[in-house]
Amino acid sequence: MNFKEQIKQGIPTELPSPKAYDPNINHAPKRKDILSAEEKKLALRNALRYFEPQHHATLLPEFQNELETYGRIYMYRLRPEYKMYARPVSEYPGKCEQAKAIQLMIQNNLDYAVAQHPHELITYGGNGAVFQNWAQYLLTMKYLSEMTEDQTLVMYSGHPQGLFPSHKDAPRVVVTNGMMIPNYSKQDDWEKFNALGVTQYGQMTAGSYMYIGPQGIVHGTTITLLNGFRKINKDTHGGLFVTSGLGGMSGAQPKAGNIAGCVTVCAEVNKKATETRHSQGWVDEVISDLDELTSRVKEAVANKETVSIAYDGNVVDVWEKFDKENVHIDLGSDQTSLHNPWAGGYYPVELSYEEANEMMANNPEAFKAEVQKSLRRQSEAINKHTAKGTYFFDYGNAFLLEASRAGADVMAENNIDFKYPSYVQDIMGPMCFDYGFGPFRWVCASGKPEDLVITDQIACDVLEEMKKTSPPEIQQQMADNIQWIKGAQENKLVVGSQARILYADAEGRINIENAFNKAISEGKIGMVVLGRDHHDVSGTDSPYRETSNIYDGSQFTADMAIQNVIGDSFRGATWVSIHNGGGVGWGEVINGGFGMILDGSKDAQRRLEAMLYWDVNNGISRRSWARNDEAIFAIKRAMKKNPMLQVTLPNFVDDELINKM
Ligand SMILES: NC(=O)c1ccc[n+]([C@@H]2O[C@H](COP(=O)([O-])OP(=O)(O)OC[C@H]3O[C@@H](n4cnc5c(N)ncnc54)[C@H](O)[C@@H]3O)[C@@H](O)[C@H]2O)c1
């Protein structure tokens, strides 16, 4: 059977032979054993409903074994034999181009070079799933190979509910992930309902088929570091940045540090993760000894080297050692997976990697205590550094949130705020999001690197032209992004599909996409898939991250993200997604995104103009209503250009009047 035939068959009628567990692959850790005996029966009944009854007796013991051994039923046996990667769009079976492009995006999310735990269908963040099991994958690909432009595929947390009649302008796919009744949306609830097979954590771009490897986060981290060093008035050359994590997203930090030009130290406890990033050239050196690390860092800083160093061990040890040895850290952060603290996201100091894995599965209460103890120790060491002048920021991984819950000394005097800002409060929010600058991305569906080169050039030309007349408020953003796109080819950022990320405001995004659409219509490039990270101006309500610089109380509401996905879906998105969880954790955030296919048609032009305009201005209007000056500037500018846009603006109350109360 060739590739197309395999996709079209969906779940095979004859079961493939069982697959051996491959120890060379980075596997998800064993999940907590959370189901009662009765609930385990329910999980098995749920899993078996994908299969005809004649297979149940064969599959039952196998699935039961997976549930006992790994805490989840992944249906390893059904994992396809073909290579998993984003093929050129023409190689996918299908009745409409849009559905073929979505297949490409799904396979990219599961590519072994891209996905963190490919056999468990996890793309990044330890638990960011594309599907819960392989049956869901096979069925979804089959539906996509059959759908027409008059149907919409409905995805419930990885489960393809089916194809429903719709119309040409409707999204081809509507994705929801992890949407729970709010009172049942806590860590343990998620573990339980995920183990039952009825929900999944889609992270942001995992369960929405929009992950493009670590490039997206390299760009965001580069922008954050450049602006972070600007904030402390320090040249990046000769500056030291200390952080942790060389995983799915965090692995981008050393590369971003190199692009920014500083010395980066990144601690990582998982040797496999370190080896991967080192072999990919994303981190320059690996050091396992703390004394050696200290002298190497001192030397690199003194020589103003641009170098990234992985410390093969726990980050707590690095913070403590550098304090003792008086190594001055300019910028400090953390990117362990604290959105998922009890199931492998954070490894406590003084336990080996193996000991920690064993304890989290077999003695979760003791493990939780170790995590909290370690967070208190890490915070104490960080506090010593900040007292000596380090600028520490939370990088959206829930570090401060979990540290505060562990009783660490991270609260500000008012006992409401944290001692340290999140990167959004100080950097991304006021400098980027409030002006409408956010991470939009594109994938060249032909799979040709030449197409990506042409699109890079088009995007650069458009931005350079716009910069000539841009107001001073956004000149720095324009300049940083022009520099980024110019260096993008040289920095070899492509992992998986031919993709590029860039920050632009609504006008920039629309101008660039229109130029792409024109180039497609002229036959200069093939189809383009447009999308973005959910981590953007409008897509995400997350009080400790994307919306942490909203101060009118509405940071704990989720209207913006919901409005966004609804608005995108009727303005022409090819697919839309809305997720509970993502980035900072289950129950902590609602985030949404879209995908859009540009095929050079007039329809594509109409859709991109209508949808992108809303997709950015929705968030700016909300940020402006929250009284953020930069957003008020941006929305007034947008209204001036388009009289059809009428946004309610806030009035400011004199503080003296309020304080007299
Ligand atoms: N700010 C942003 O824009 C942004 C973007 C993406 C992800 N994130 C957040 O960052 C976190 C990391 O994401 P990821 O995809 O890299 O997750 P990941 O799980 O792939 O990587 C985290 C890594 O940290 C390592 N680690 C855990 N505890 C450690 C310790 N004490 N010392 C040293 N290493 C340790 C783990 O072994 C793992 O490899 C997540 O919480 C994610 O939500 C933030």
Side-chain angles (χ1 to χ4, degrees), residues 116 125 248-250 268 314-315 335 337 339 347 395 423 545 583:
Q116 186 184 13
M249 291 287 195
S250 48
E268 170 57 63
N314 202 294
V315 71
Q335 223 179 332
S337 276
H339 68 272
Y347 284 82
Y395 199 42
Y423 72 115
R545 212 167 87 170

Side-chain angles (χ1 to χ4, degrees), residues 108 211-212 215 441-444 452 456 493-501:
N108 189 57
Y211 191 67
I212 55 166
Q215 180 182 169
R441 59 185 55 181
W442 66 90
V443 172
C444 295
L452 189 60
D456 281 348
L493 296 155
V494 168
V495 178
S497 60
Q498 292 297 319
R500 182 68 69 229
I501 175 135

Side-chain angles (χ1 to χ4, degrees), residues 116 124-126 203 217 244-251 267-270 273 313-316 335-340 344-349 353 374 378 395-398 423 535 545 582-584:
Q116 186 184 13
Y124 71 94
Q203 271 283 8
I217 184 76
S244 58
L246 287 171
M249 291 287 195
S250 48
E268 170 57 63
V269 288
N270 180 350
N314 202 294
V315 71
V316 180
Q335 223 179 332
T336 55
S337 276
L338 275 160
H339 68 272
N340 177 31
Y346 182 89
Y347 284 82
V349 65
Y353 184 64
S374 185
Q378 187 172 341
Y395 199 42
N397 63 336
Y423 72 115
H535 173 261
R545 212 167 87 170
V584 286

Side-chain angles (χ1 to χ4, degrees), residues 316-499:
V316 180
D317 291 325
V318 177
W319 282 105
E320 290 180 347
K321 177 77 175 172
F322 283 9
D323 172 50
K324 213 167 105 205
E325 303 285 342
N326 269 321
V327 176
H328 178 73
I329 300 171
D330 296 294
L331 296 187
S333 197
D334 186 272
Q335 223 179 332
T336 55
S337 276
L338 275 160
H339 68 272
N340 177 31
W342 323 127
Y346 182 89
Y347 284 82
V349 65
E350 279 181 14
L351 291 182
S352 72
Y353 184 64
E354 293 70 26
E355 281 167 348
N357 281 335
E358 197 270 331
M359 191 190 269
M360 82 180 75
N362 300 327
N363 195 349
E365 281 313 308
F367 182 72
K368 187 172 171 181
E370 288 297 327
V371 167
Q372 296 202 316
K373 196 164 87 189
S374 185
L375 281 171
R376 289 193 293 273
R377 234 172 97 174
Q378 187 172 341
S379 305
E380 202 181 308
I382 290 170
N383 289 343
K384 288 186 182 154
H385 282 276
T386 57
K388 292 189 263 186
T390 299
Y391 174 77
F392 182 85
F393 59 94
D394 186 292
Y395 199 42
N397 63 336
F399 174 78
L400 290 175
L401 183 65
E402 284 307 332
S404 70
R405 287 173 179 166
D409 177 17
V410 292
M411 297 310 290
E413 270 175 26
N414 66 9
N415 227 7
I416 300 169
D417 301 316
F418 297 126
K419 242 182 209 185
Y420 306 113
S422 83
Y423 72 115
V424 174
Q425 279 177 305
D426 261 22
I427 299 172
M428 269 321 174
M431 295 181 185
C432 298
F433 293 162
D434 286 354
Y435 286 120
F437 279 80
F440 95 107
R441 59 185 55 181
W442 66 90
V443 172
C444 295
S446 65
K448 291 184 188 159
E450 310 89 87
D451 276 13
L452 189 60
V453 174
I454 298 174
T455 54
D456 281 348
Q457 190 56 52
I458 294 174
C460 187
D461 292 346
V462 170
L463 287 186
E464 283 191 321
E465 193 51 39
M466 286 179 66
K467 185 172 180 292
K468 289 181 192 160
T469 52
S470 293
E473 287 84 349
I474 61 170
Q475 282 285 329
Q476 185 70 64
Q477 286 312 320
M478 299 294 285
D480 282 352
N481 282 288
I482 289 169
Q483 189 193 336
W484 164 265
I485 197 80
K486 282 189 168 159
Q489 290 287 336
E490 191 189 321
N491 286 320
K492 298 197 182 355
L493 296 155
V494 168
V495 178
S497 60
Q498 292 297 319

Side-chain angles (χ1 to χ4, degrees), residues 543-560:
Y544 300 104
R545 212 167 87 170
E546 284 79 352
T547 41
S548 59
N549 73 322
I550 301 278
Y551 302 104
D552 67 351
S554 73
Q555 63 269 40
F556 296 99
T557 65
D559 296 282
M560 178 178 75

